[in-house]
Amino acid sequence: MSFFHSINSRSSKSYSKPSPSSGVRSSQFKLRQYAEATLGSGSLRQAVRLPEGEDKNEWLAVNTVDFYNQINMLYGTVTEFCSPQTCPEMKATDEYEYLWKDNDKFKRPTTLSAPDYIEHLMNWVQSYFENEAVFPSKIGVPFPKNFQQIIAKIFKRLYRVYAHIYCHHFEIITQLGIQPHLNTSLKHFIYFIQEFDLVDRKDFGPLTEFVDKMVADGKTK
Ligand code: ZN
């Protein structure tokens, strides 16, 4: 069964939120509570909007950490089925291969196995979180000027984990009963991307039609 056949199954209303990362400051905690309360109300479209009077960068930061945790958790459910043997390349269908590049060890786009790629990706995101100059943990310390560009880049890359899971591990996701969570998580992610104009539609690759339909379905919500 491919995920394309399951387009019509609606995402579940239940939403499991990952535990908040440690060391968040109180304003982030408040924002997170707000996000959780809004999610509980069932409207993802509403949940992604910047709460009135809140700082946009703060909102982007909190949500980036949450999506990172969600994706980590979702990928964690398939890691034993995603090995260098099963997935020697980081692909989303045979048409799209994602090459890894960073400013550290991989200065040129490089083929990595999917688990390797995702490990590098998660560490790369984590290193931003730990960088006080990018994600300041102290109140009053400003975010960098290029913060939104960094966030856009993080989202563009995190999206690829969804793409890989959908295209190559959908069967196990279905068997494990995680599909509603995966759909809800992706929908939330896409709404967030659209709300803040973070990733181009062309970067949705093999999921473009699926995403279009998902978003169209959610229009009334
Ligand atoms: Zn894989």
Side-chain angles (χ1 to χ4, degrees):
M1 178 180 159
S2 106
F3 83 88
F4 293 105
H5 294 128
S6 71
I7 285 173
N8 289 322
S9 66
R10 291 288 167 275
S11 39
S12 140
K13 280 212 172 75
S14 70
Y15 187 88
S16 72
K17 199 75 185 147
S19 50
S21 65
S22 57
V24 289
R25 49 190 163 162
S26 66
S27 63
Q28 289 187 344
F29 182 68
K30 266 199 331 222
L31 280 181
R32 184 165 283 123
Q33 279 181 318
Y34 173 89
E36 281 176 13
T38 322
L39 280 173
S41 75
S43 165
L44 289 174
R45 202 41 113 182
Q46 181 63 37
V48 298
R49 283 191 197 123
L50 177 67
E52 228 181 287
E54 292 296 346
D55 180 70
K56 185 179 171 189
N57 285 341
E58 197 85 60
W59 184 241
L60 289 174
V62 166
N63 280 280
T64 304
V65 173
D66 276 355
F67 281 121
Y68 169 88
N69 286 333
Q70 271 185 46
I71 291 167
N72 230 345
M73 206 171 60
L74 287 166
Y75 181 65
T77 63
V78 302
T79 42
E80 51 178 309
F81 309 96
C82 183
S83 68
Q85 288 74 42
T86 62
C87 309
E89 289 131 16
M90 177 59 176
K91 282 187 171 178
T93 75
D94 279 337
E95 269 176 71
Y96 296 85
E97 186 191 348
Y98 301 118
L99 302 174
W100 181 252
K101 180 176 176 282
D102 54 33
N103 290 323
D104 187 23
K105 229 170 105 188
F106 299 96
K107 299 219 179 343
R108 283 183 192 173
T110 308
T111 293
L112 295 180
S113 72
D116 260 3
Y117 182 102
I118 293 171
E119 197 187 337
H120 277 85
L121 168 54
M122 292 324 226
N123 288 339
W124 172 79
V125 177
Q126 183 81 37
S127 70
Y128 276 121
F129 292 162
E130 287 164 5
N131 186 343
E132 281 289 317
V134 181
F135 280 76
S137 62
K138 289 194 188 74
I139 297 170
V141 177
F143 288 88
K145 284 205 167 60
N146 62 343
F147 186 66
Q148 290 180 33
Q149 285 154 262
I150 293 171
I151 293 294
K153 206 170 160 191
I154 290 175
F155 271 76
K156 185 177 168 177
R157 289 185 168 186
L158 283 178
Y159 169 80
R160 297 169 180 176
V161 183
Y162 286 111
H164 180 71
I165 295 175
Y166 269 101
C167 295
H168 298 278
H169 301 288
F170 193 71
E171 211 160 314
I172 193 68
I173 286 282
T174 309
Q175 281 169 24
L176 294 169
I178 297 161
Q179 185 204 334
H181 294 288
L182 183 65
N183 285 347
T184 305
S185 176
L186 177 63
K187 196 181 214 174
H188 186 196
F189 188 83
I190 298 295
Y191 282 172
F192 197 82
I193 280 175
Q194 291 182 333
E195 180 74 14
F196 298 100
D197 206 9
L198 298 171
V199 181
D200 287 346
R201 184 175 171 274
K202 68 172 170 51
D203 290 317
F204 294 151
L207 301 187
T208 304
E209 259 179 64
F210 178 64
V211 164
D212 284 349
K213 182 149 197 323
M214 193 177 232
V215 169
D217 284 349
K219 259 185 187 150
T220 51
K221 283 194 183 166

